[in-house]
Amino acid sequence: MSFGKKTAGVLAITLTFGFLTALSASADDGKGKRLPSFTSAPSSALYKQECSSCHFLYQPWLLPERSWQAIMDESGKHFGENLGLDAETDKEIRAYLKANSSDKTAARWAQKITSSSEGMTPKKIMDVPWIKKEHREVGAGVFKRPSIGSPSNCGACHQKGAEGNFEEDFIKIPK
Amino acid sequence: MKTFKGLATLAAVFFAGSVYAAGPNAQMSQVLDGLKKEAGAASFSAEEGRKLYNAKRTHSQKKEERSCTTCHTSNPAASGKSTAGKVIEPLSPSANPQRFTDPKKVEKWFKRNCEWVYERECTPKEKGDFITYMMSLK
């Protein structure tokens, strides 16, 4: 065998080092400290009032900045509805979403959202490939239950979802 | 200073309470007066407002029946549910004193929801009738 012990050792070290580098690049804060899985964006009374009167209060880090931009650009037909936002409200909400989007958030799930939606502009959170994958075991019929309604209703199952906590411990799927 | 603050709070609470019992607050009275002028109407009709609230209409594109009651239910004093599954607090001021106290909010939701149900803005007469109906509920 030409594949000697020494080569194998070097290879193992290289692989380990490469793996660790990749891991740290995606999951630390740049100072070597492991990032938390999620975070709660600073709350905005305006965002809450304008957006979560009708739907679940989505943490802004659930989508990358360009997604929010696309959604706000279409606020005249937001999933078929005209949100009728005045210029001032529009500006303030855009700034809030931008500052707290997935690309700007130092948390592991936000980073997964950013990297998994590279090259695309998801306009629904469930269209983010990683989030979709995380829900692969939930049947379509479950989302259609009257107690849930649709996949957009995160809070139906994620009891602390509005705070950004989507940990398994706080999932309860209603009948 | 503390005493003043306390008194002011007490006065505000008392004022808010008494205003509610008496009908629309000062700002909303102004809104209603403005709507009357715009509509060229001497008064508004709670009965017309009730009809507007319960009217059903088929959306031209979505081909589905829509009404105020779709989300707010046929009882304005009950909690409703948005199409995205969010609970909506009661619309009737009798059950939810916060309702119809903030002109900006009222106008915003007329704009949003008249378009959702009727695919147009509501007229000053319709808005006046609607508010009058909601205020008349006990």
Side-chain angles (χ1 to χ4, degrees):
Chain A
M1 276 298 263
S2 60
F3 193 73
K5 253 188 185 168
K6 199 178 167 192
T7 321
V10 169
L11 191 68
I13 289 167
T14 312
L15 282 176
T16 309
F17 185 71
F19 175 70
L20 284 175
T21 310
L23 193 74
S24 67
S26 67
D28 80 8
D29 61 356
K31 292 171 207 138
K33 219 171 150 189
R34 189 166 157 83
L35 289 176
S37 49
F38 71 91
T39 178
S40 296
S43 71
S44 154
L46 186 72
Y47 177 63
K48 199 172 169 187
Q49 179 193 304
E50 292 296 328
C51 305
S52 85
S53 294
C54 295
H55 60 64
F56 176 75
L57 186 67
Y58 303 113
Q59 285 283 323
W61 54 258
L62 288 168
L63 286 174
E65 181 188 337
R66 63 184 177 284
S67 290
W68 290 123
Q69 200 177 334
I71 289 166
M72 291 302 285
D73 287 348
E74 290 171 2
S75 73
K77 41 183 171 92
H78 184 71
F79 299 94
E81 264 192 76
N82 184 354
L83 302 184
L85 301 175
D86 60 52
E88 201 184 314
T89 307
D90 179 274
K91 197 177 150 196
E92 209 173 306
I93 289 179
R94 279 177 190 267
Y96 173 73
L97 292 170
K98 181 178 175 173
N100 299 289
S101 59
S102 70
D103 344 47
K104 301 265 163 62
T105 299
R108 298 204 310 278
W109 295 344
Q111 292 184 335
K112 280 186 179 174
I113 288 164
T114 302
S115 60
S116 91
S117 52
E118 232 169 81
M120 55 192 285
T121 305
K123 285 193 266 187
K124 287 180 180 173
I125 286 154
M126 202 55 102
D127 287 346
V128 171
W130 175 65
I131 295 179
K132 200 172 173 180
K133 196 183 103 200
E134 288 294 304
H135 290 87
R136 65 193 179 278
E137 284 165 18
V138 184
V142 173
F143 288 118
K144 285 188 188 135
R145 286 179 190 164
S147 53
I148 299 175
S150 86
S152 72
N153 192 10
C154 312
C157 304
H158 295 280
Q159 298 169 307
K160 296 194 173 189
E163 306 157 27
N165 185 347
F166 294 89
E167 296 280 12
E168 298 233 6
D169 291 353
F170 300 105
I171 297 175
K172 199 174 169 191
I173 300 176
K175 294 282 164 217
Chain B
M1 193 62 190
K2 240 184 184 167
T3 327
F4 174 74
K5 251 191 180 168
L7 274 176
T9 313
L10 250 176
V13 168
F14 179 74
F15 185 67
S18 61
V19 158
Y20 167 61
N25 66 13
Q27 282 176 296
M28 286 305 292
S29 292
Q30 248 178 17
V31 168
L32 283 165
D33 286 346
L35 289 171
K36 261 178 212 162
K37 258 185 213 151
E38 274 185 81
S43 62
F44 290 123
S45 155
E47 176 54 20
E48 287 300 312
R50 191 188 64 78
K51 282 187 201 161
L52 191 69
Y53 181 75
N54 289 289
K56 289 171 177 44
R57 185 179 175 280
T58 304
H59 192 274
S60 70
Q61 265 138 57
K62 302 272 176 175
K63 305 288 174 208
E64 64 185 14
E65 192 184 84
R66 290 184 176 188
S67 162
C68 305
T69 63
T70 309
C71 299
H72 293 288
T73 81
S74 56
N75 175 11
S79 289
K81 210 174 192 186
S82 79
T83 51
K86 186 100 188 179
V87 171
I88 304 172
E89 300 300 325
L91 192 54
S92 152
S94 67
N96 182 2
Q98 292 297 309
R99 292 293 192 190
F100 301 97
T101 57
D102 176 355
K104 213 177 151 191
K105 217 169 168 181
V106 171
E107 187 50 35
K108 181 213 151 92
W109 288 104
F110 267 132
K111 195 174 168 190
R112 277 278 296 273
N113 294 342
C114 290
E115 201 173 309
W116 194 78
V117 179
Y118 294 104
E119 297 178 72
R120 61 169 173 80
E121 290 204 19
C122 285
T123 65
K125 173 82 167 74
E126 285 169 332
K127 291 179 193 173
D129 289 343
F130 192 90
I131 297 170
T132 304
Y133 167 56
M134 286 299 156
M135 292 283 179
S136 76
L137 295 168
K138 293 285 178 277

